Amino acid sequence: PLKLFKHSDLENALVRLLQDRAQLDGRPLPPEAAEAARNLQATRDRLMAIKELSPTMAEAAADEFIGYSNVIERLEARFERLGVELGLSFTWKDAWKPRSRSSFEDLQTERVGALINAAAACAYRAAQPSTSPIEAYRALQRAAGCYAQAHDLVKAAIWGLSPRWQPSSLTGDVRLEFLSAMQATMLAQAQRAVHAQACADPAISAKSRRLSAAATQALYEHACVLMR
């Protein structure tokens, strides 16, 4: 399932802040800056409207969530406090328990939510009957990478001498243990796709198939330990 999120007026907050900076320099706000803020808000609103995935749009949704995460990463680098200066609150729901939600003021919560949704879309794409084993492998590897990035962002936000997020305020789907378990599950599923491809290829020897099966089993066992 996707992490659903609430509206946040990112466009106007960005425009106000950029106008203040432009005035300090004695210049008007460049039109392209206002247009970029408008386009970012449009992207966010479009992604917010996606409530569930379908076979026809899952891959495009994954691309767009990853693209949004990349834009936010470039944007947050322009702030001293990762976007807290915007004065906004970004609220994302737990993908598995939507009644649970968390709100943070820095832009990294946007990246975490977008990466988790990208992973969900990749996994959904891999699970479709029309997806070939090699396509499934690539999609699941991509999902694992998204979970790994989300894990690193959350870890940086809750660890250290001055954590920005309190662990107790996190929803269950973004806690480090769960993100690690989901990454391991995606890697196990990816290896399973490799094994399925090996079994379907008559040129692959029985020994290679056994090695592939053993590797798949080991990854699933690791994922099970983390899930428990």
Side-chain angles (χ1 to χ4, degrees), residues 14-190:
L14 275 172
V15 168
R16 284 194 300 269
L17 191 60
L18 291 170
Q19 283 176 334
D20 290 343
R21 291 184 177 183
Q23 287 176 358
L24 290 174
D25 294 334
R27 297 181 301 175
L29 178 67
E32 59 269 23
E35 183 181 4
R38 184 166 54 252
N39 291 340
L40 182 61
Q41 184 69 53
T43 298
R44 191 181 196 278
D45 291 344
R46 186 165 59 252
L47 292 174
M48 188 174 66
I50 302 175
K51 304 301 182 184
E52 59 183 21
L53 297 164
S54 71
T56 57
M57 50 74 79
E59 188 170 9
D63 290 340
E64 190 138 14
F65 275 115
I66 290 173
Y68 179 66
S69 172
N70 292 338
V71 171
I72 293 298
E73 181 180 12
R74 294 194 295 271
L75 179 63
E76 71 182 26
R78 296 176 176 267
F79 296 101
E80 293 181 0
R81 295 187 294 157
L82 303 175
V84 172
E85 301 93 321
L86 291 168
L88 295 174
S89 179
F90 302 100
T91 300
W92 289 72
K93 298 181 179 180
D94 188 312
W96 305 88
K97 298 179 179 180
R99 291 186 179 181
S100 175
R101 63 192 64 188
S102 61
S103 299
F104 298 104
E105 296 177 351
D106 63 69
L107 287 166
Q108 283 198 347
T109 191
E110 290 280 279
R111 288 176 61 196
V112 170
L115 287 166
I116 290 175
N117 278 356
C122 289
Y124 184 93
R125 167 86 169 84
Q128 299 309 304
S130 60
T131 303
S132 69
I134 190 63
E135 290 172 335
Y137 169 80
R138 290 170 179 166
L140 291 162
Q141 284 282 347
R142 197 180 191 194
C146 290
Y147 279 122
Q149 288 185 55
H151 180 279
D152 290 346
L153 290 171
V154 174
K155 183 178 178 179
I158 66 175
W159 283 24
L161 296 176
S162 54
R164 304 191 313 277
W165 304 348
Q166 292 300 317
S168 60
S169 64
L170 299 175
T171 53
D173 62 339
V174 297
R175 293 186 178 175
L176 295 180
E177 298 86 352
F178 188 74
L179 292 172
S180 294
M182 291 300 290
Q183 180 189 0
T185 301
M186 295 301 106
L187 291 174
Q189 294 283 78

